[in-house]
Amino acid sequence: MSGSASFTLINSTLANNSAPDVDAGAMLIAGSASVTVTGCNFTGNQAEYNAAAISVGEASKLRVTSCTFTKGNATNYAGGGIYAIGQATVAVANSSFVENTVGCSGGGLSAGGSTRVTITNCTFDQNSAAFGLGGGGVVAIEEAKVFVQGSKFRSNMAVGSSGGAISARDHSLVNATDGTQFAHNIAEVDGGAIMIIGDATAVVDGGAMFYNNSAHYAGTDIHANADFSLVMGDANISATSPTVSW
């Protein structure tokens, strides 16, 4: 979809689609298009570059509700479920990202450019990012803003990189609130749950919970490096020390 198109997809399954040599295994959204996806299942989709399932870019808008993204594979780059770039606006609610893999960053979801992404009551489970910029569940880069509310990040992995659940880099913002849970996430480098690097900002508040995350080097739960900004409020960290490092 492109231009100023408006499109709604309901109660559908998009499975085992492939995009060799390009982005977007199942759906490409560009221009100023507005797309609503409800009650759909994206499974086994693959893209050689970005977005195993959905790529949303330019000034387009995507709203996803009650969907599943499973076993997607963005072979070389980012976004095992959703890849957002440009000035796109994305809202994902009551959805799950499970067992998606990428060759670089954002096993479940990747946000770049100046995108704004809201994630509400979602589950990211057993997603992985291999090497690259990390973020087994989610990566935010450039000037992207990602707001996570009441969601669960479990058993995600940054392979050979940092941020088992979330990686915030460059000038991006990640805000995790409303009881968002981080449990059993693994980073083979730093930041078992969250990695903050560059001029990135992370806000962890509203009863966010951390349990049994692990990192090979620094920051069992959170690691921050370079000119970062970390704001922590009413968070509950239950794990072995050190949990937060910089």
Side-chain angles (χ1 to χ4, degrees), residues 8 15 47 67 101 117 121 136 157 175-176 180 212:
T8 299
C67 293
T101 60
V117 178
N121 297 329
M157 187 171 187
N175 188 326
T180 293
N212 202 30

Side-chain angles (χ1 to χ4, degrees), residues 8-50:
T8 299
L9 184 68
I10 302 174
N11 298 336
S12 300
T13 296
L14 289 82
N16 303 318
N17 299 288
S18 180
D21 300 322
V22 293
D23 294 348
M27 185 181 296
L28 175 64
I29 308 166
S32 57
S34 179
V35 175
T36 299
V37 182
T38 303
C40 293
N41 178 27
F42 296 82
T43 184
N45 298 294
Q46 183 171 336
E48 186 166 349
Y49 295 108
N50 299 301

Side-chain angles (χ1 to χ4, degrees), residues 156 163-166 185-187 190-194 213-215 218-223:
N156 301 287
I166 297 177
N185 301 288
I186 300 171
D190 300 322
I194 300 175
N213 302 291
S214 63
T220 299
D221 292 309
I222 302 173
H223 181 68

Side-chain angles (χ1 to χ4, degrees), residues 10 61 85 93 101 106 119 138 140 176 192 202 210 223 227 244:
I10 302 174
K61 297 179 180 179
I85 196 66
T101 60
I119 299 168
V138 172
F210 295 79
H223 181 68
D227 297 324
V244 181

